[in-house]
Structure formats: structure tokens, C-alpha cells
Amino acid sequence: MGIEFRGNALITMILLALGLDFLLLGYDQGLFGGILPGTRFLDMLGNPNPTMTGLVTAIYDIGGAFGAVAAFIWGERIGRKKSIIIANFIVIIGAALQTACVNYSVMAVARIVTGVGVGFSTVAVPILQSETLPSRNRGSLQVVQSALIIIGVALASWLCFATLFANSSLQ
């Protein structure tokens, strides 16, 4: 049998678990903008023109829209926790595809897959939070969680800046 949390310990665990989801959402959104200008990365993509570069960036949001609709349709049936687990599994698959990407087509598919997972997650996480956090401070706790998105973007941006001048695959 697992550990059972109650009271403030339970609230802390909910915030930590769901907060990581928001932190990674921000990180994922911030990372691609820092990687995209890299010459090694553009070479791997086949040096796409600005339109194709914009498409591979924006297609993530299209996947996110599909994921949000999927969460709306199936989220109630499968439950919040399972929705979040499935969403994070989809994000892991998308991230692995992006990491293993060898050309533009694979990157486009990977971005869609990641977007679907993130879209699914961004619907399920706030609903689970609103259902589980105490009403007396639910709003302020949701604001903290939303701030984690910005922290994730900042972390990704600083990481990209730190590797900006690397002359290796580290970039």
C-alpha cells in the first residue's frame, strides 16, 4: 500500500505533481524558440525557408488544439488522473521523437504529437486542481501554478542562451 497524504501534505503533493506539468509546459514552449535559430538544427531540418520554419513552430499549437478537444471529449469519461497520465505519456513520445528527429517531416509529426499531449494536459490539470484544492485559497494556488509556466519558459530561454555559442551538438 502506498503513502497516504492528508491536509497540507496532500495539498503540497498535488501542487508539486501538477506544478511539474505546468513547468514542463512552459519549458517546452520556450525551448523551441531558442533551438530554432541554431545552424546545426536548421541543417538537420534541411534549411527550411521562413514559411516552413513558421509552420513547424506553429504546428505544435495545432496539435495542442486537437489535444484540448480530445480532453474535452474523453476527459470526463476516463477521469482527470488518467487524462494527465495519458497526456504526459503522449508528451514523452513527442519529446522522444523531437530528440531523435532526422529531418523536417519527422520534426513536424513530433511537434504535433507533443502538442496533442500538452493540449490534453492543459485542460485536465486545472480541472483536477479546481476539484482537489481547498476553496479558501484555490485561486491563489492556481496563480502560483500558472506562474510555473513562465518559470519554465525562463528556464528554457536561459538554457538556450547558455548554449548559444556552443560549436557542438550541445547547441
Side-chain angles (χ1 to χ4, degrees), residues 32 49-62 104 108 111:
F32 202 70
N49 63 38
T51 302
M52 297 307 283
T53 302
L55 178 64
V56 81
T57 304
I59 207 159
Y60 170 85
D61 293 324
I62 293 169
Y104 184 89
R111 296 283 292 165

Side-chain angles (χ1 to χ4, degrees), residues 88-121:
N88 286 326
F89 184 69
I90 294 169
V91 170
I92 289 167
I93 291 169
L97 286 171
Q98 287 181 73
T99 303
C101 172
V102 293
N103 60 36
Y104 184 89
S105 300
V106 175
M107 181 58 76
V109 169
R111 296 283 292 165
I112 292 171
V113 171
T114 306
V116 167
V118 167
F120 208 101
S121 171

Side-chain angles (χ1 to χ4, degrees), residues 28-98:
D28 193 45
Q29 289 179 337
L31 191 62
F32 202 70
I35 294 172
L36 197 56
T39 54
R40 291 174 61 99
F41 184 71
L42 289 173
D43 288 344
M44 183 270 306
L45 289 180
N47 292 305
N49 63 38
T51 302
M52 297 307 283
T53 302
L55 178 64
V56 81
T57 304
I59 207 159
Y60 170 85
D61 293 324
I62 293 169
F66 283 120
V69 170
F72 175 74
I73 294 170
W74 293 298
E76 194 69 35
R77 278 186 240 159
I78 62 176
R80 308 289 181 251
K81 288 186 231 174
K82 285 183 183 173
S83 293
I84 294 168
I85 291 168
I86 291 168
N88 286 326
F89 184 69
I90 294 169
V91 170
I92 289 167
I93 291 169
L97 286 171
Q98 287 181 73

